[in-house]
Amino acid sequence: SAPIVEVYLHGGVWSVLADTRFGLVWTVRFALAVLLGVLMPWPATRLLQLAAGAGLIALIALIGHAGATPGTAGDIHLASDMAHLLAAGAWVGSLPALAMLLARARHANDPAWRSFAIGATRRFSRLGIVCVAALLASGIINSWNLLGGPRDLLTTDYGRLLLLKIGLFAAMVGIATANRFHFTPRLLAAGALRALERNSLAETGLGLC
C-alpha cells in the first residue's frame, strides 16, 4: 500500500477524474453538492437549490447499468433510471421535513401552525401519488432491462435484492395509502397529526432501508 498523498499525486487519481465517465460525473456531482451547501442558508435561491439537488441525484444513473447500455434502449433505460432516482429522492427526502412540521404543529398552540401543516400535508399527498406512479413505472422498465425473466427474481442475488426492495416499497405504499385516504381527510380530528407524524417516520425508515 502507498501513502494517501502518493496515491493522489502519482496514483492515477487525476486520470480517473478527468478521463473516465465515473470521474467526470463524480466531479460534477461534487460541484453540485458544494453549490447546494452554499445556497442552503438563502431561502430566495430555493429553485436553484432544487435544481442542484435534482442534478446531484439524477447523475448517479450515468455511472450505473443504464449509463452503460448503448442505443435507444439505453437512452430509455437511462431516462427511466433518472426518473426512478428523482422520484425516490423527492418522496423519501421530503418525509423527514414533513414529520418535523407535523411535530411542530402538534405542539404549537397557534392555529396558524395547524393550518399550515394541513396545507403542506395535502400538497405532499399529491406529490406522493406522482412519486409512487413514477417509481412503479420506472421500476418495471429497469427490471425489464436487468432481469432475464421472472425466474431471475429467485435465482440471482440481484433478483432477491429486488424482491426485498419491492416488499419495502409495498409497505411504504401501504402506509402512504392509509395517510392519503384515512388520516389526511381527518386532519382536524384529535390524534390525526400524531398518527401522520408517526407514519411519516415509519415511511422514512422503510425508505432508508
Side-chain angles (χ1 to χ4, degrees):
S1 61
I4 188 67
V5 174
E6 183 70 18
V7 172
Y8 272 97
L9 293 177
H10 307 293
V13 169
W14 302 112
S15 295
V16 171
L17 289 177
D19 300 330
T20 67
R21 171 180 284 190
F22 174 86
L24 293 173
V25 171
W26 187 94
T27 302
V28 174
R29 292 186 70 238
F30 179 77
L32 288 172
V34 172
L35 176 64
L36 187 58
V38 171
L39 294 176
M40 283 182 67
W42 308 95
T45 63
R46 57 186 176 274
L47 291 180
L48 189 55
Q49 293 176 40
L50 184 63
L56 187 62
I57 294 172
L59 286 176
I60 298 173
L62 289 173
I63 53 176
H65 289 288
T69 306
T72 302
D75 294 337
I76 295 173
H77 190 189
L78 180 61
S80 172
D81 207 18
M82 286 183 170
H84 198 76
L85 290 164
L86 289 170
W91 185 14
V92 180
S94 299
L95 282 167
L98 178 65
M100 287 188 288
L101 173 61
L102 292 170
R104 179 68 178 85
R106 187 168 58 87
H107 290 104
N109 293 322
D110 187 354
W113 269 104
R114 179 176 286 268
S115 177
F116 180 71
I118 289 172
T121 300
R122 287 173 177 161
R123 290 194 298 274
F124 179 82
S125 181
R126 293 191 290 271
L127 171 69
I129 292 172
V130 173
C131 289
V132 167
L135 283 167
L136 185 60
S138 58
I140 291 172
I141 293 173
N142 290 348
S143 298
W144 179 270
N145 281 279
L146 296 174
L147 294 174
R151 186 170 176 270
D152 286 353
L153 288 170
L154 298 175
T155 59
T156 66
D157 290 338
Y158 176 82
R160 288 189 287 271
L161 181 60
L162 180 59
L163 279 179
L164 175 60
K165 288 181 64 178
I166 291 171
L168 293 168
F169 176 70
M172 290 183 69
V173 170
I175 295 174
T177 301
N179 290 345
R180 175 68 177 85
F181 294 105
H182 182 72
F183 293 113
T184 300
R186 296 170 174 80
L187 278 171
L188 294 176
L193 285 178
R194 178 70 184 94
L196 279 169
E197 178 191 347
R198 181 185 64 244
N199 284 359
S200 295
L201 292 173
E203 282 186 75
T204 302
L206 290 168
L208 288 173
C209 290

